[in-house]
Amino acid sequence: MVSDMRRIFHLSDIHFGLENNRALDWVKQEIEEHQPDAVAITGDLTMRARSREFEAATHWINSLQAPVTVEVGNHDMPYFNPIERFFAPYRRFRGMEEKVEREIDLGTLHIVPLKTAVRAQPRLNWSKGWVTDAALAKCLAAIDALPGGTRALVTVHHPLREVGTQGTALTKHGDKALRELAKRPVEAVLSGHVHDAFDIMEQTGEGPIRMIGAGTLSKRTRSTPPSFNDLEWDGEGLTVCVRNLDDVETGDMQIDDVPENALPPRRESDPVAPVRQVPRVDPPVR
Ligand SMILES: [Fe+2]
Ligand SMILES: [Fe+2]
C-alpha cells in the first residue's frame, strides 16, 4: 500500500543580502537529514533584487536536496531599474526559473501557486499584495484540473487577509480569492511576507479556509526568532510545527488572530500602514 504521508518544509522571506546564515545552514542540514517531499519557499528571496543577492539565493536554493517551488515576493522585483521591473520582472530568477511558481504533485496533496506580488499597482505602497483576475483564474483552473480526492495547498507571498501580525499585507482582492478558494478542495493557503508564523481558520462567505504563515530566515525578524514551518500531511489532515533555533514552542511562535475590526480602515492615500504591536516572544533561558 502506498503511504499518503507527506512532509513539506515551508520556508519564507530569506532576504539574501540580510540573510541569517546560521539559520540557513541549519535548514539546509534539516532538509538533507529529513528529505521532505517538497520545499515551498513563499517569496522575498532577496532584499533589493540585486544581482549578487539573486546569485546567492540561486546557489542556495539549487543546492537543496528536494523538489522546490518558489513564489515571487515584493522584494524580488527589480528595485533600482524601473524599465526591467516593467518589461522583464523575472529575469533575475534565471538559474532557478524552473522552480518559480511551480506546481508539485504530492499524491493526495498538490501544491498550486497564486501570484500576489505585482510590478506596479495604483496605490502608493507597491510592497503590498494584489491578486489580479488573471493570477486568480490561473490558480483556480489548476485546482479545478486536479483529480477527485486531491487537496490543494495554495502558495502565495502575501497573506490574503490581515491576520494580526505586526507586518501587514493589505492584499487587494485577497477576500475575493479566499472566497473562491473556500469553494474548492483547498487544504490551506501558505504565505510569507509578515515575518511571523501563524495558523488560523478564516471564515468567508463561502465557508472556512485555513491560512498558514511561515516566519523569516533573515535578520529582519519582527516578533519571533527565525523559523520555518514543518508540515505533515497524513492523507486527511495537515499538522504544523514551527521549527526554530531557540526551541520556542509552536504555540508561542504563532501570532494569534485578532478581531476583524482591530485594524482601523486604511485610506489608499495613507503612506504608512497601521501597525499592531504584538508582544515579543522571548526564547527560553538556557
Ligand atoms: Fe519579507
Ligand atoms: Fe514581502
Side-chain angles (χ1 to χ4, degrees), residues 12-15 43-44 46 74-75 157 192-195 216 218 220 222:
S12 205
D13 295 77
I14 303 171
H15 285 294
D44 277 0
T46 71
N74 51 295
H75 279 258
H157 176 59
H193 183 69
V194 293
H195 292 207
T216 180
S218 73
R220 299 184 92 214
R222 290 218 170 98

mmCIF file of all heavy atoms in Angstrom, residues 12-15 43-44 46 74-75 157 192-195 216 218 220 222, ligand 1:
data_model
loop_
_atom_site.group_PDB
_atom_site.id
_atom_site.type_symbol
_atom_site.label_atom_id
_atom_site.label_comp_id
_atom_site.label_asym_id
_atom_site.label_seq_id
_atom_site.Cartn_x
_atom_site.Cartn_y
_atom_site.Cartn_z
ATOM 1 N N SER A 12 10.273 30.891 4.179
ATOM 2 C CA SER A 12 9.891 32.167 3.589
ATOM 3 C C SER A 12 10.858 33.282 3.961
ATOM 4 O O SER A 12 11.614 33.171 4.928
ATOM 5 C CB SER A 12 8.477 32.558 4.042
ATOM 6 O OG SER A 12 7.901 33.413 3.079
ATOM 7 N N ASP A 13 10.815 34.334 3.143
ATOM 8 C CA ASP A 13 11.482 35.588 3.476
ATOM 9 C C ASP A 13 12.935 35.383 3.924
ATOM 10 O O ASP A 13 13.320 35.769 5.030
ATOM 11 C CB ASP A 13 10.652 36.338 4.525
ATOM 12 C CG ASP A 13 9.305 36.745 3.938
ATOM 13 O OD1 ASP A 13 8.413 35.875 3.824
ATOM 14 O OD2 ASP A 13 9.158 37.911 3.558
ATOM 15 N N ILE A 14 13.705 34.779 3.014
ATOM 16 C CA ILE A 14 15.118 34.521 3.302
ATOM 17 C C ILE A 14 15.916 35.822 3.183
ATOM 18 O O ILE A 14 16.882 36.045 3.897
ATOM 19 C CB ILE A 14 15.663 33.445 2.341
ATOM 20 C CG1 ILE A 14 14.823 32.162 2.473
ATOM 21 C CG2 ILE A 14 17.119 33.145 2.647
ATOM 22 C CD1 ILE A 14 15.118 31.115 1.423
ATOM 23 N N HIS A 15 15.496 36.682 2.263
ATOM 24 C CA HIS A 15 16.088 38.019 2.121
ATOM 25 C C HIS A 15 17.613 37.982 2.016
ATOM 26 O O HIS A 15 18.314 38.593 2.852
ATOM 27 C CB HIS A 15 15.664 38.925 3.283
ATOM 28 C CG HIS A 15 14.254 39.415 3.177
ATOM 29 N ND1 HIS A 15 13.832 40.260 2.180
ATOM 30 C CD2 HIS A 15 13.146 39.179 3.936
ATOM 31 C CE1 HIS A 15 12.546 40.535 2.332
ATOM 32 N NE2 HIS A 15 12.091 39.874 3.376
ATOM 33 N N GLY A 43 8.471 33.327 -1.126
ATOM 34 C CA GLY A 43 8.865 34.650 -1.587
ATOM 35 C C GLY A 43 9.778 35.477 -0.705
ATOM 36 O O GLY A 43 10.139 35.087 0.404
ATOM 37 N N ASP A 44 10.166 36.629 -1.261
ATOM 38 C CA ASP A 44 11.178 37.505 -0.677
ATOM 39 C C ASP A 44 12.493 36.741 -0.498
ATOM 40 O O ASP A 44 12.988 36.550 0.615
ATOM 41 C CB ASP A 44 10.702 38.136 0.640
ATOM 42 C CG ASP A 44 9.844 39.381 0.411
ATOM 43 O OD1 ASP A 44 9.609 39.752 -0.762
ATOM 44 O OD2 ASP A 44 9.378 39.976 1.406
ATOM 45 N N THR A 46 15.251 37.913 -1.705
ATOM 46 C CA THR A 46 16.333 38.894 -1.611
ATOM 47 C C THR A 46 15.851 40.141 -0.865
ATOM 48 O O THR A 46 14.678 40.263 -0.530
ATOM 49 C CB THR A 46 16.795 39.336 -3.022
ATOM 50 O OG1 THR A 46 15.772 40.141 -3.615
ATOM 51 C CG2 THR A 46 17.098 38.155 -3.917
ATOM 52 N N ASN A 74 7.528 40.638 -3.049
ATOM 53 C CA ASN A 74 7.645 42.035 -3.472
ATOM 54 C C ASN A 74 9.100 42.504 -3.476
ATOM 55 O O ASN A 74 9.464 43.395 -4.232
ATOM 56 C CB ASN A 74 6.797 42.944 -2.576
ATOM 57 C CG ASN A 74 7.063 42.734 -1.108
ATOM 58 O OD1 ASN A 74 6.780 41.663 -0.577
ATOM 59 N ND2 ASN A 74 7.597 43.739 -0.432
ATOM 60 N N HIS A 75 9.975 41.874 -2.666
ATOM 61 C CA HIS A 75 11.386 42.260 -2.653
ATOM 62 C C HIS A 75 12.169 41.650 -3.809
ATOM 63 O O HIS A 75 13.360 41.919 -3.944
ATOM 64 C CB HIS A 75 12.034 41.826 -1.329
ATOM 65 C CG HIS A 75 11.770 42.770 -0.200
ATOM 66 N ND1 HIS A 75 12.692 43.690 0.243
ATOM 67 C CD2 HIS A 75 10.673 42.958 0.561
ATOM 68 C CE1 HIS A 75 12.184 44.394 1.231
ATOM 69 N NE2 HIS A 75 10.958 43.960 1.453
ATOM 70 N N HIS A 157 2.687 34.788 -1.695
ATOM 71 C CA HIS A 157 3.646 35.538 -0.875
ATOM 72 C C HIS A 157 2.915 36.320 0.225
ATOM 73 O O HIS A 157 3.193 36.157 1.400
ATOM 74 C CB HIS A 157 4.497 36.488 -1.716
ATOM 75 C CG HIS A 157 5.402 37.322 -0.865
ATOM 76 N ND1 HIS A 157 6.336 36.751 -0.026
ATOM 77 C CD2 HIS A 157 5.491 38.674 -0.663
ATOM 78 C CE1 HIS A 157 6.974 37.711 0.634
ATOM 79 N NE2 HIS A 157 6.473 38.886 0.275
ATOM 80 N N GLY A 192 3.942 34.070 3.250
ATOM 81 C CA GLY A 192 5.100 34.643 3.940
ATOM 82 C C GLY A 192 4.827 36.112 4.195
ATOM 83 O O GLY A 192 3.750 36.486 4.620
ATOM 84 N N HIS A 193 5.825 36.946 3.919
ATOM 85 C CA HIS A 193 5.759 38.415 3.897
ATOM 86 C C HIS A 193 5.727 39.079 5.270
ATOM 87 O O HIS A 193 6.363 40.112 5.448
ATOM 88 C CB HIS A 193 4.562 38.891 3.061
ATOM 89 C CG HIS A 193 4.465 40.375 2.937
ATOM 90 N ND1 HIS A 193 5.371 41.121 2.208
ATOM 91 C CD2 HIS A 193 3.584 41.275 3.469
ATOM 92 C CE1 HIS A 193 5.038 42.411 2.286
ATOM 93 N NE2 HIS A 193 3.976 42.524 3.040
ATOM 94 N N VAL A 194 4.986 38.549 6.235
ATOM 95 C CA VAL A 194 4.846 39.278 7.502
ATOM 96 C C VAL A 194 5.910 38.888 8.541
ATOM 97 O O VAL A 194 5.969 39.476 9.613
ATOM 98 C CB VAL A 194 3.421 39.114 8.096
ATOM 99 C CG1 VAL A 194 2.408 39.817 7.208
ATOM 100 C CG2 VAL A 194 3.049 37.663 8.293
ATOM 101 N N HIS A 195 6.749 37.888 8.221
ATOM 102 C CA HIS A 195 7.914 37.527 9.034
ATOM 103 C C HIS A 195 7.564 36.933 10.397
ATOM 104 O O HIS A 195 8.453 36.816 11.248
ATOM 105 C CB HIS A 195 8.867 38.721 9.201
ATOM 106 C CG HIS A 195 9.537 39.122 7.918
ATOM 107 N ND1 HIS A 195 10.753 39.750 7.866
ATOM 108 C CD2 HIS A 195 9.156 38.972 6.624
ATOM 109 C CE1 HIS A 195 11.079 39.987 6.606
ATOM 110 N NE2 HIS A 195 10.124 39.521 5.831
ATOM 111 N N THR A 216 10.439 34.222 9.091
ATOM 112 C CA THR A 216 11.547 34.598 8.208
ATOM 113 C C THR A 216 12.798 33.796 8.543
ATOM 114 O O THR A 216 12.954 33.319 9.671
ATOM 115 C CB THR A 216 11.846 36.106 8.348
ATOM 116 O OG1 THR A 216 12.915 36.461 7.485
ATOM 117 C CG2 THR A 216 12.217 36.497 9.773
ATOM 118 N N SER A 218 15.678 35.387 7.810
ATOM 119 C CA SER A 218 16.604 36.504 7.635
ATOM 120 C C SER A 218 16.866 37.168 8.990
ATOM 121 O O SER A 218 16.343 36.742 10.023
ATOM 122 C CB SER A 218 15.978 37.543 6.700
ATOM 123 O OG SER A 218 14.947 38.242 7.371
ATOM 124 N N ARG A 220 15.810 40.095 9.448
ATOM 125 C CA ARG A 220 14.700 41.063 9.564
ATOM 126 C C ARG A 220 13.562 40.455 10.378
ATOM 127 O O ARG A 220 12.440 40.318 9.898
ATOM 128 C CB ARG A 220 14.182 41.444 8.185
ATOM 129 C CG ARG A 220 15.184 42.098 7.288
ATOM 130 C CD ARG A 220 14.519 42.508 5.988
ATOM 131 N NE ARG A 220 14.011 43.867 6.043
ATOM 132 C CZ ARG A 220 12.907 44.284 5.436
ATOM 133 N NH1 ARG A 220 12.147 43.443 4.782
ATOM 134 N NH2 ARG A 220 12.546 45.534 5.500
ATOM 135 N N ARG A 222 10.628 40.152 13.221
ATOM 136 C CA ARG A 222 9.679 41.117 13.792
ATOM 137 C C ARG A 222 9.377 40.720 15.232
ATOM 138 O O ARG A 222 10.013 41.182 16.147
ATOM 139 C CB ARG A 222 8.422 41.168 12.928
ATOM 140 C CG ARG A 222 8.702 41.841 11.576
ATOM 141 C CD ARG A 222 7.580 42.719 11.097
ATOM 142 N NE ARG A 222 7.972 43.508 9.941
ATOM 143 C CZ ARG A 222 7.708 43.198 8.667
ATOM 144 N NH1 ARG A 222 7.041 42.104 8.383
ATOM 145 N NH2 ARG A 222 8.104 43.983 7.693
HETATM 146 FE FE FE B 1 9.825 39.804 3.608
#
